[in-house]
Amino acid sequence: MDALRADDLIGLFQRWRDMFAAQREFLIALDGKVGDSDLGITMAKSFAAAADTVTAEGAAAGITRLLRSAGAIMAKTAPSTMGTLTATGFLRGAKALEGAEAIGTSEAAAFWRAFATGIAERGKAKLGDKTILDVLDPVAGALEQAAASGLALAPALKQASDAAEAALERTKTMVAQHGKAAAFQEKTVGLQDAGATVGVLLVSTMSAFVAG
């Protein structure tokens, strides 16, 4: 797949829905180590709603509207911390792709950079705080480099997915600064961050979807 068009984007949301449904218990257990165990429920619920919404709207709605509708229903369906942050990411991503008819490498780079920036601003997070941002910033960077070198979407997303996995591993050395996990401070060192895991799952699923 050389680019994601509106009908492909609907398929991607359906794939994200199925993946988060499958990963629900894993994310609940991961979040339960230093959080409140609701992450798996939040992600499964918000992406089920988003998939239903974009499917109902149809490809004729176009990429920008589909992303905006997904973000809006997520904010309404799962108003928890990660639900709100993810919703913000999609809303910012929609704005960055205003008028785009397809998502190629440069559009994917713009989308994930806007997504990461939106999360940083809404969550008042910075790099090194042990959050989803520590995965999404390297993802955006990898895609920006790929776009600059003219790499096609599938290999660009594979590089971004690899960057996400490496970034997730680095979060194990960090001390949590946000949410319930922040109360555990040094006890979070050595643990895989649950929010950062969501970032990896989002990007790796998108990569696998595009690779077909």
Side-chain angles (χ1 to χ4, degrees):
M1 194 182 291
D2 60 341
L4 285 165
R5 288 162 185 84
D7 56 341
D8 302 312
L9 186 60
I10 292 168
L12 176 57
F13 270 101
Q14 293 167 348
R15 183 75 64 88
W16 274 330
R17 173 200 62 204
D18 295 346
M19 178 274 293
F20 279 118
Q23 296 294 332
R24 183 178 181 272
E25 298 308 315
F26 166 68
L27 289 172
I28 286 171
L30 191 62
D31 190 35
K33 290 178 181 177
V34 290
D36 50 17
S37 305
D38 70 344
L39 185 62
I41 298 163
T42 296
M43 291 295 99
K45 198 172 167 185
S46 61
F47 276 89
D52 286 349
T53 297
V54 298
T55 300
E57 290 214 343
I63 285 170
T64 304
R65 183 173 158 185
L66 289 174
L67 290 170
R68 192 178 293 126
S69 296
I73 195 67
M74 284 176 162
K76 188 176 175 182
T77 306
S80 64
T81 302
M82 186 54 79
T84 300
L85 292 176
T86 309
T88 300
F90 278 106
L91 292 169
R92 293 292 188 90
K95 197 171 181 182
L97 297 190
E98 192 73 57
E101 293 184 5
I103 301 173
T105 306
S106 59
E107 289 83 8
F111 172 81
W112 286 111
R113 176 58 68 198
F115 199 109
T117 302
I119 280 181
E121 291 174 357
R122 186 68 187 261
K124 296 179 173 55
K126 61 184 188 299
L127 289 174
D129 282 355
K130 194 166 181 145
T131 70
I132 189 173
L133 183 63
D134 291 302
V135 160
L136 294 186
D137 182 78
V139 162
L143 287 168
E144 285 161 352
Q145 283 188 331
S149 60
L151 204 60
L153 183 61
L157 282 169
K158 176 66 172 70
Q159 286 188 6
S161 182
D162 290 344
E165 292 280 3
L168 177 61
E169 192 62 28
R170 288 194 296 273
T171 67
K172 292 179 181 178
T173 67
M174 299 172 185
V175 177
Q177 304 294 330
H178 294 271
K180 294 240 172 101
F184 291 84
Q185 288 288 297
E186 297 300 329
K187 288 182 181 177
T188 63
V189 175
L191 294 178
Q192 178 175 319
D193 183 64
T197 302
V198 167
V200 171
L201 290 171
L202 282 169
V203 177
S204 61
T205 301
M206 184 179 186
S207 176
F209 180 81
V210 169

